[in-house]
Amino acid sequence: MARRSPLAFVLALLALLCAPAFLMPGKMGATVTEEKSQLLAAGGALMVASMPAPAYAGGMFDFGLTLPFVALSFLTMMFVLNALWYAPMTEEVDERNAKLLQTLSEATDMLAKADEMQVQYTADIKEAREKAAKELADARKATEEAIAKETAAADAVREAEANKFRAKLDSEMKDKMANAEGTIKERQKDFVKQSLAAVGL
C-alpha cells in the first residue's frame, strides 16, 4: 500500500482550516476572491495527494523513497568500505601473493640448481669410481707382475741352488763309492775265503 508523508497531510489540513471561509462566517465567507479559491483548490489537491493511496490487488512491496535511499546507502557503504577496508586489504593480499610468487620462484630456482648439482655430483662419483677401479686394476696387474717376476727369480735361484747341491751330492757320492771300492773288494775276498774255509775247500 502506497503511503504519503504525514507532514504533507498535516500542512494541507492546517491550510484548509486557516482559510477565511472557516474563520469568518457570513459576509466574509461570501466574498472569497479568486486568488483565495485557487489557494483552497491547491490545498485540497495537496490534501488528496497526501492521503494514502488505495492498495492494489496482488501488491506485495511498496518501495516509495525507500528503494533509492537503500540503494544510495548501499553504494555509499560500498564506496566507504572499498576506500577504507577493501583497497588496503587488496594491496596486502597482492603483496602477499607477490611475496609467495617470489618465494616459489626462488624455491624453484634452488631446486633446479640442486638437481644440476646432483647430476654433476653423480657424474663426478661415477668418474671417480671408474678412475679408482682402473687404478686398482692397474695396481693389481703391476703387483701380480712383480710377484710373478719375484717368484720366477726365486724359482730360478732355488733351481740353481738345487742343481748345485745335487751336483755336489753326486760328486761326494762318487768319491765315496770310489773310496769304498777297494774296501768292498777286500771284504769280498775275505768273505769268499771264510765261506770256502767253512765248507772245507
Side-chain angles (χ1 to χ4, degrees), residues 23 51 62 64 67 91 108 111-112 114 149 155 161 163 175 201:
L23 295 177
M51 291 176 63
D62 178 23
L67 183 62
E91 290 176 5
T108 306
L111 187 61
K149 286 180 183 177
D155 288 342
E161 289 180 358
N163 289 336
D175 289 342
L201 293 173

Side-chain angles (χ1 to χ4, degrees), residues 2 4 6 9 22-24 42 47 57 66 85 88 90 95 104 109 120 129 139 159 161 166 179 184 192:
R4 302 295 179 195
F9 177 72
F22 289 105
L23 295 177
M24 295 181 194
M47 187 172 99
T66 306
W85 178 257
T90 306
E95 289 178 5
L104 184 62
D109 293 342
Q120 183 66 31
R129 284 182 179 170
E159 189 68 27
E161 289 180 358
R166 194 176 294 122
N179 290 335
I184 290 172
V192 169

Side-chain angles (χ1 to χ4, degrees), residues 57-161:
M60 184 180 272
F61 300 107
D62 178 23
F63 293 111
L65 292 176
T66 306
L67 183 62
F69 179 74
V70 169
L72 183 65
S73 299
F74 179 75
L75 292 175
T76 304
M77 182 181 66
M78 225 172 80
F79 175 75
V80 169
L81 285 177
N82 191 26
L84 298 178
W85 178 257
Y86 293 122
M89 183 175 284
T90 306
E91 290 176 5
E92 290 291 330
V93 169
D94 290 342
E95 289 178 5
R96 180 177 173 269
N97 289 339
K99 287 179 182 178
L100 286 175
L101 286 175
Q102 182 181 359
T103 306
L104 184 62
S105 175
E106 291 175 357
T108 306
D109 293 342
M110 290 176 67
L111 187 61
K113 288 179 182 177
D115 288 340
E116 291 176 4
M117 290 173 64
Q118 184 176 5
V119 169
Q120 183 66 31
Y121 178 70
T122 306
D124 291 344
I125 287 178
K126 184 178 179 182
E127 183 180 353
R129 284 182 179 170
E130 290 175 354
K131 186 177 180 181
K134 184 179 178 183
E135 289 180 358
L136 183 62
D138 292 343
R140 182 178 293 150
K141 185 177 178 182
T143 304
E144 288 175 355
E145 288 177 357
I147 290 173
K149 286 180 183 177
E150 290 178 3
T151 305
D155 288 342
V157 169
R158 190 180 69 240
E159 189 68 27
E161 289 180 358

